């Protein structure tokens, strides 16, 4: 399965042969070209032909096709990257988003001319309101982190309008790094609370952190340990009783979509990542979307432009107390189209299945890994399986990092490692709902092989990857000596 990935390819210059060509159409008018060239100053004119590779059309096609197949991708391989929800995104959604009526719209077109697209915005807002259990949804934010910023700006505006003087945000130590960054960027002070031994928020630590400056708590649920916060209702009660608001980092909605709703848990503001749960391919840094849902009392603060239905027409408007614009235009529109196509093709029961199988698959992995992969928080998880190798890292000096590198040799993308920060030497494995039992069994078999190698051939792990075209990089040098690393072929090796 991975031959293509590991095969060392020649450079296109190495397969070059003088005089070999593809099909070249004759140029339209030789005399015109000569006249144009004559106008170039003599010192800028080429003395010799450029040293381009000379290959046949077929060789060029095969070379670049092989290169493209060296990409590790969801289309070809399993991608268990924790906290990222790297699931298969149905092709139908790509086709719909690429239809000329959507792809060729201009963002400055008049509302009257784009009623169909406004309806798509409106309908997706309505669906997400149901999914989140909240009164209003904006589709403006272009990513999860921007959704967090928008949500925190809304909370800030709310406290300002109500003269509460509250400027502190409580964030558990298991949170995604974007949470404290977004809160600080929106002007808040950040107060961290420690997790308990069970990986959930410690209620005593939370009680001690709440005071009359508490503006909000930012909570991820299921949290980054892959656990559902069991005291969620009590946490909501405590924060609300103290005059704060509840912010829900719903980037991991894949675990609960269609089954549990943040609004029902008491949350006031929620962001979700359409590029994780609602079918936009990501991982290459492409466009995403981080819609934000809010409770009724915050709808007036939503960013502009917002889409609403007025009679039989759809229109943009700016809510009275809007926090303003987040982007030059409306949203990453193609992502919105994909999400609506996905939601409608799944339907309510389909979304319920997403959460069911995402959770089942993660638990299957968690409970079938060999014992060296210890489970810090018991045998049950939600959409991702967190394990740690802290014992063998002490006893045998084998790190989570070594295991991640060895998985590359065995044909698997490494899971997320060293996150969440509160579990040392951890691996966070998110299989998602779209993978089959056979694929999960293959991954588990690779982890079993690694467990054997820890005993028999530990150096194979310490030196991994051994079988890729590139060996282990000196990661410190790669970060510190950029000018060296940028020279092709000059990447320092350990
Ligand atoms: C992915 C993720 C984010 C950030 O989302 P981006 O779209 O990458 O900005 C925030 N929180 C959690 C828990 C995430 O998994």
């Amino acid at each position: 399965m991975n031959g293509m990935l590991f095969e060392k390819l020649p450079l296109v210059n190495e397969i070059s042969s003088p005089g070999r060509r593809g099909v070249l159409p004759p140029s339209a008018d030789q005399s015109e070209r000569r006249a144009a060239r004559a106008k170039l100053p003599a010192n800028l004119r080429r003395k010799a032909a450029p040293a381009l590779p000379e290959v046949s059309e077929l060789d060029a096609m095969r070379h670049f096709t092989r290169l493209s197949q060296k990409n590790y991708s969801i289309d070809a391989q399993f991608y268990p990257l924790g906290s990222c929800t790297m699931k298969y995104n149905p092709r139908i959604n790509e086709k719909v988003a690429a239809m000329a009526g959507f792809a060729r719209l201009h963002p400055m077109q008049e509302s009257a001319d784009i009623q169909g697209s406004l309806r798509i915005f409106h309908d997706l807002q309505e669906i997400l309101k149901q999914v989140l259990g909240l009164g209003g949804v904006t589709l403006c934010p272009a990513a999860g982190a921007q959704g967090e910023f928008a949500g925190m700006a809304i909370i800030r505006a709310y406290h300002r309008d109500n003269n509460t003087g509250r400027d502190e945000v409580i964030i558990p130590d298991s949170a995604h790094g974007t949470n404290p960054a977004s809160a600080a960027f929106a002007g808040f002070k950040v107060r961290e609370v420690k997790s308990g031994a069970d990986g959930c928020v410690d209620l005593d630590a939370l009680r001690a952190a709440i005071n009359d400056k508490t503006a909000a708590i930012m909570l991820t649920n299921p949290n980054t340990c892959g656990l559902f916060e069991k005291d969620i209702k009590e946490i909501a009660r405590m924060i609300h009783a103290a005059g704060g608001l509840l912010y829900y980092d719903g980037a991991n909605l894949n675990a609960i979509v269609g089954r549990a709703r943040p609004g029902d848990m008491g949350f006031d503001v929620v962001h979700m990542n359409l590029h994780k749960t609602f079918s936009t391919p990501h991982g290459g840094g492409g466009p995403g979307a981080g819609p934000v849902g809010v409770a009724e009392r915050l709808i007036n603060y939503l960013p502009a432009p917002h889409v609403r239905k007025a009679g039989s027409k759809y229109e943009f408007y700016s809510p009275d107390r809007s926090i303003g614009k987040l982007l030059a235009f409306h949203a990453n529109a193609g992502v919105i189209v994909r999400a609506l196509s996905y939601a409608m093709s799944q339907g309510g029961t389909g979304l319920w299945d997403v959460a069911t199988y995402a959770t089942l698959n993660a638990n299957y992995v968690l409970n079938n890994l060999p014992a060296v992969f210890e489970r810090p928080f018991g045998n049950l998880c939600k959409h991702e399986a967190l394990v740690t190798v802290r014992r063998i890292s002490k006893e045998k000096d084998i790190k989570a990092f070594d295991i991640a590198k060895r998985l590359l040799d065995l044909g698997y993308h490494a899971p997320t490692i060293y996150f969440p920060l509160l579990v040392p030497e951890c691996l966070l494995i998110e299989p998602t709902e779209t993978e089959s039992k056979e694929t999960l069994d293959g991954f588990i078999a690779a982890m079993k092989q690694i467990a054997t190698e820890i005993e028999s051939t530990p150096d194979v792990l310490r030196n991994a990857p051994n079988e890729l075209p590139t060996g282990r990089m000196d990661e410190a040098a790669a970060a510190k000596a950029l000018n060296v690393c940028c020279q092709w072929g000059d990447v320092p090796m350990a």
Side-chain angles (χ1 to χ4, degrees):
M1 151 177 137
N2 297 298
M4 212 74 93
L5 209 57
F6 294 167
E7 176 199 4
K8 199 158 184 161
L9 290 182
L11 299 176
V12 69
N13 286 307
E14 291 167 351
I15 56 171
S16 173
S17 173
R20 206 165 275 174
R21 292 258 176 288
V23 178
L24 288 180
S27 29
D29 187 337
Q30 286 293 340
S31 63
E32 253 178 44
R33 279 183 58 183
R34 264 194 297 275
R37 211 166 345 174
K39 286 189 190 138
L40 268 182
N43 65 334
L44 292 182
R45 272 181 241 154
R46 229 189 253 292
K47 310 272 176 313
L52 294 175
E54 298 180 77
V55 294
S56 72
E57 186 170 334
L58 185 60
D59 285 344
M61 192 267 299
R62 286 192 179 146
H63 177 75
F64 287 105
T65 302
R66 287 211 183 96
L67 270 188
S68 75
Q69 287 165 338
K70 292 179 81 66
N71 272 338
Y72 198 100
S73 66
I74 294 175
D75 283 359
Q77 290 99 359
F78 177 51
Y79 220 122
L81 203 53
S83 203
C84 291
T85 313
M86 302 298 285
K87 63 188 190 179
Y88 170 68
N89 301 294
R91 284 295 187 278
I92 179 72
N93 307 324
E94 299 302 314
K95 293 218 155 171
V96 174
M99 285 164 72
F102 300 126
R104 297 214 183 138
L105 278 186
H106 193 280
M108 305 282 275
Q109 262 170 275
E110 296 293 334
S111 297
D113 298 338
I114 53 167
Q115 284 292 301
S117 288
L118 291 189
R119 180 175 169 194
I120 285 180
F121 272 60
H122 175 266
D123 288 359
L124 185 64
Q125 285 170 195
E126 293 301 309
I127 288 175
L128 296 184
K129 273 157 66 173
Q130 285 186 42
V131 165
L132 298 177
L134 287 167
V137 166
T138 171
L139 304 177
C140 291
Q146 201 183 30
E148 291 173 27
F149 171 71
M152 295 318 285
I154 288 170
I155 290 174
R156 180 123 188 113
Y158 171 84
H159 282 298
R160 262 202 201 127
D161 276 2
N162 291 285
N163 290 318
T164 65
R166 293 169 179 270
D167 64 355
E168 277 186 19
V169 171
I170 298 173
I171 304 181
D173 59 357
S174 61
H176 198 271
T178 47
N179 287 191
S182 301
F185 207 59
F188 289 107
K189 298 191 189 90
V190 172
R191 186 182 278 265
E192 187 180 276
V193 288
K194 295 260 168 279
S195 301
D198 60 358
C200 292
V201 172
D202 180 320
L203 288 188
D204 291 331
L206 178 62
R207 204 166 286 119
I210 295 175
N211 61 38
D212 61 4
K213 288 280 171 196
T214 302
I217 186 170
M218 287 184 93
L219 213 62
T220 307
N221 195 25
N223 64 28
T224 57
C225 300
L227 305 172
F228 194 92
E229 288 288 348
K230 60 184 183 345
D231 296 315
I232 198 78
K233 286 208 144 163
E234 176 58 11
I235 294 170
R237 195 200 59 72
M238 284 163 71
I239 297 287
H240 279 154
L245 297 181
L246 284 110
Y247 183 96
Y248 189 108
D249 179 336
N252 293 331
L253 214 66
N254 215 43
I256 62 158
V257 59
R259 284 212 162 233
R261 309 195 307 171
D264 299 338
M265 300 173 208
F267 282 82
D268 304 287
V269 185
V270 183
H271 94 264
M272 56 190 298
N273 284 8
L274 296 185
H275 47 290
K276 289 180 182 167
T277 308
F278 279 81
S279 183
T280 279
H282 65 293
V292 173
V294 295
E296 296 285 346
R297 61 180 158 157
L298 299 174
I299 291 177
N300 234 349
Y301 297 96
L302 286 176
H306 194 62
V307 176
R308 71 178 166 199
K309 193 171 182 196
S312 63
K313 294 260 185 283
Y314 299 90
E315 63 182 18
F316 285 123
Y317 80 106
S318 179
D320 289 346
R321 305 289 303 147
S322 173
I323 58 163
K325 279 179 84 97
L326 296 168
L327 303 171
F329 297 109
H330 324 308
N332 277 334
V335 180
I336 310 299
V337 176
R338 285 186 186 91
L340 184 65
S341 168
Y342 180 71
M344 291 179 73
S345 58
Q346 296 289 328
T349 53
L351 290 179
W352 166 284
D353 283 345
V354 165
T356 308
Y357 288 111
T359 302
L360 178 65
N361 281 0
N363 279 283
Y364 183 75
V365 171
L366 182 71
N367 286 279
N368 282 288
L369 292 179
V372 287
F373 300 105
E374 293 174 76
R375 303 167 207 161
F377 305 120
N379 302 341
L380 258 188
C381 63
K382 278 285 166 295
H383 61 302
E384 51 194 355
L386 181 66
V387 294
T388 167
V389 292
R390 67 189 144 193
R391 184 175 55 76
I392 57 155
S393 94
K394 291 212 187 76
E395 288 171 9
K396 297 188 185 286
D397 196 31
I398 300 280
K399 310 284 187 205
F401 185 83
D402 301 321
I403 289 159
K405 294 292 181 194
R406 183 62 179 148
L407 275 169
L408 306 184
D409 272 340
L410 302 181
Y412 289 96
H413 194 285
T416 297
I417 56 172
Y418 300 112
F419 178 79
L421 301 179
L422 72 159
V423 178
E425 294 300 332
C426 66
L427 297 98
L428 186 62
I429 304 159
E430 183 178 5
T432 82
E433 78 284 5
T434 49
E435 297 295 348
S436 67
K437 179 173 178 295
E438 288 74 15
T439 300
L440 302 185
D441 284 338
F443 176 76
I444 290 163
M447 294 292 268
K448 285 185 175 155
Q449 176 177 334
I450 289 174
T452 314
E453 289 172 350
I454 290 171
E455 300 303 325
S456 59
T457 50
D459 279 343
V460 167
L461 296 170
R462 292 189 193 111
N463 298 327
N466 309 283
E467 288 163 43
L468 299 187
T470 309
R472 189 175 287 202
M473 307 253 185
D474 180 335
E475 306 233 329
K480 301 273 180 202
L482 294 178
N483 52 348
V484 175
C485 297
C486 291
Q487 283 167 23
W488 187 242
D490 221 8
V491 180
M493 300 291 167

